[in-house]
Amino acid sequence: MNFHQKIIEISGNREFARLMNNDFWRYNRILYRVHWGQKDGRDGERNIEHVRIFEAIQSGDGPLAELLMRRHVQSTGVVIREARQVRYGRRASDKV
């Protein structure tokens, strides 16, 4: 099971699960992976983000886990916007 599916499972949040498992987000995750894979060193950054989120959850630090997750979602949005710009010629400032 991958990191994101595990987070969905342990969150117990049905709305979050619905959102993360819809076709729009599946497509954007694929686009993200393709674009992310073209960035040297970014894979290590992503893994560090995942480890920090997991450690915060494991230690029971909800506020820290929330903060780290929000940052992770924001940085993911930046990469998706970059990928969409490359693939479709959209501006980096366009909303995801």
Side-chain angles (χ1 to χ4, degrees):
M1 177 178 297
N2 79 23
F3 174 80
H4 296 104
Q5 288 298 334
K6 190 65 176 173
I7 295 298
I8 291 167
E9 179 186 303
I10 66 175
S11 77
N13 184 325
R14 288 185 182 175
E15 182 62 19
F16 179 57
R18 185 192 63 75
L19 174 68
M20 293 303 292
N21 288 312
N22 74 28
D23 289 339
F24 174 76
W25 283 108
R26 283 188 191 126
Y27 170 77
N28 278 306
R29 284 196 301 264
I30 291 167
L31 188 62
Y32 174 89
R33 279 188 226 122
V34 168
H35 185 70
W36 186 273
Q38 298 171 1
K39 304 283 186 182
D40 291 338
R42 302 277 302 261
D43 200 37
E45 291 173 27
R46 180 184 62 189
N47 289 336
I48 290 169
E49 288 179 0
H50 287 170
V51 167
R52 288 182 178 155
I53 292 166
F54 177 78
E55 289 173 347
I57 292 169
Q58 190 175 38
S59 71
D61 191 340
L64 179 59
E66 178 182 2
L67 173 67
L68 295 172
M69 193 65 180
R70 286 181 186 278
R71 287 180 182 169
H72 179 63
V73 169
Q74 288 172 345
S75 67
T76 299
V78 168
V79 174
I80 290 171
R81 284 189 293 278
E82 288 174 1
R84 292 177 90 186
Q85 180 183 14
V86 168
R87 185 165 177 100
Y88 301 112
R90 294 182 176 155
R91 296 183 318 266
S93 61
D94 289 348
K95 298 278 183 191
V96 173

